[in-house]
Amino acid sequence: MTRFAPAPTGYLHVGHVLNAIYVWGIARATGARVVLRIEDHDRQRSRPEYERALVEDLAWLGFEPDEHARQSDRRAVYEDALARLRAEGLTYACDCTRRQIAGVKPAAGELRYNGRCRDRMLDERSGRGVRVRINPGEEVFDDLLRGPQAQIPAEQAGDILLRDRHGLWTYQFAATVDDFAQDITHVIRGDDLLESTGRQIQLARLLGRAAPPAFLHHPLIMKSPTQKVSKSDADTGIRDLRAEGWSARRVIGFTAALAGLIDAPRDLDVADLAAVVVQ
Ligand code: GLU
């Protein structure tokens, strides 16, 4: 099983299409199924109309998921996973505000939690987040595209926030729980999430996952080298292209060429993608 996991915070654009090319291409090449997982954990920015539009645009392109899931429907699954970590004494409540954490932000790199609440034994209650204690060790994995990787989650980000002070499940927790619960064998995503992988491998292990999934992180489309498509670049919306008369096959072929997967744009459909991504 693999997954396509968009956040419904905007319309489908060529960046999503590139991810879908990899996801469906690898699914076709390996016989895996695809779950369309709507990652609407960000309750402020997620909107039902974006979700409807994402589903419609994917269908127009010919990317048919085998299953559908929505994170906001899966609260009980996250509660269970949290209860399991709590029962093992791995979690603690945290009342640090973002500002307090930001105060210790390193000059470069991501925000690292300094463990201020680790031994304070605070009760879990509203207004407090929940974190998991992570181990100091290194996590290694073989990225299917980028080769061997080594990360030290404790040094990168510190103890992982599972639920925030407003009671919202975090991306790291919800995605890791779902990848385990949905039997995801291949996590295929853009390389902006590469740095999250070590901590997700460790978190999955703490949740009881025996073997991590395989990971593939592909380059993102940063900019369209041709200005012909649209004035906006990475946000090139599929709806705009469709309104301009583009066919679905042309959008897919254009995106594959933009990412360097094929030498020059040509029409492609989903059935062609296994050969495009697995060379
Ligand atoms: N929902 C995330 C995003 O839209 C993807 C998460 C993932 O693939 O792990 O960037």
Side-chain angles (χ1 to χ4, degrees):
M1 182 74 91
T2 184
R3 81 295 202 284
F4 182 74
T9 54
Y11 292 105
L12 202 76
H13 57 70
V14 289
H16 292 108
V17 177
L18 179 60
N19 186 237
I21 287 173
Y22 275 99
V23 168
W24 269 269
I26 287 169
R28 291 290 185 274
T30 61
R33 291 154 55 79
V34 180
V35 55
L36 169 59
R37 185 166 84 207
I38 300 293
E39 297 207 329
D40 58 349
H41 50 86
D42 182 340
R43 304 305 298 151
Q44 301 214 308
R45 291 170 58 227
S46 297
R47 296 218 213 117
E49 59 266 36
Y50 287 138
E51 177 179 334
R52 274 195 299 276
L54 291 171
V55 171
E56 251 175 55
D57 292 351
L58 276 179
W60 177 74
L61 287 162
F63 294 112
E64 294 289 345
D66 301 291
E67 288 180 26
H68 291 254
R70 184 187 296 113
Q71 289 190 324
S72 58
D73 295 337
R74 295 173 57 75
R75 189 182 158 165
V77 178
Y78 308 133
E79 292 287 0
D80 279 359
L82 176 59
R84 175 173 182 146
L85 295 175
R86 192 189 286 122
E88 290 178 30
L90 291 170
T91 62
Y92 61 90
C94 171
D95 67 0
C96 295
T97 60
R98 250 196 104 71
R99 189 168 305 148
Q100 277 170 314
I101 301 168
V104 294
K105 187 173 167 56
E110 68 180 302
L111 213 58
R112 178 178 171 279
Y113 182 60
N114 62 3
R116 173 176 169 267
C117 293
R118 225 180 196 225
D119 300 313
R120 291 176 71 207
M121 310 288 280
L122 298 173
D123 294 329
E124 272 184 42
R125 65 158 86 125
S126 80
R128 290 182 180 160
V130 181
R131 292 183 185 270
V132 66
R133 295 168 201 276
I134 56 167
N135 306 314
E138 186 176 69
E139 296 292 340
V140 294
F141 60 98
D142 251 325
D143 188 278
L144 292 173
L145 209 55
R146 305 169 61 110
Q149 306 288 321
Q151 297 176 358
I152 305 177
E155 288 181 7
Q156 291 171 287
D159 290 343
I160 303 167
L161 189 65
L162 308 179
R163 199 172 62 199
D164 71 15
R165 296 169 60 242
H166 311 289
L168 300 177
W169 304 107
T170 61
Y171 157 69
Q172 299 291 350
F173 186 57
T176 305
V177 169
D178 282 347
D179 285 342
F180 184 18
Q182 294 169 336
D183 286 326
I184 302 297
T185 53
H186 294 74
V187 171
I188 300 162
R189 59 190 176 194
D191 59 16
D192 54 334
L193 287 164
L194 180 66
E195 296 300 312
S196 288
T197 300
R199 73 197 71 160
Q200 293 182 2
I201 289 172
Q202 186 173 135
L203 183 52
R205 191 184 312 117
L206 297 176
L207 286 163
R209 183 166 188 159
F215 288 90
L216 183 154
H217 293 87
H218 57 78
L220 299 177
I221 294 179
M222 303 307 288
K223 220 181 212 178
S224 157
T226 90
Q227 299 305 310
K228 271 188 256 162
V229 192
S230 157
K231 272 161 236 99
S232 59
D233 41 47
D235 287 331
T236 301
I238 301 318
R239 306 212 133 191
D240 301 334
L241 298 179
R242 189 175 167 185
E244 286 172 26
W246 287 51
S247 68
R249 296 164 58 93
R250 184 170 172 214
V251 173
I252 296 174
F254 170 80
T255 307
L258 208 52
L261 286 168
I262 54 175
D263 292 337
R266 64 181 151 90
D267 284 3
L268 287 177
D269 72 23
V270 178
D272 301 322
L273 298 179
V276 168
V277 299
V278 181
Q279 283 149 357

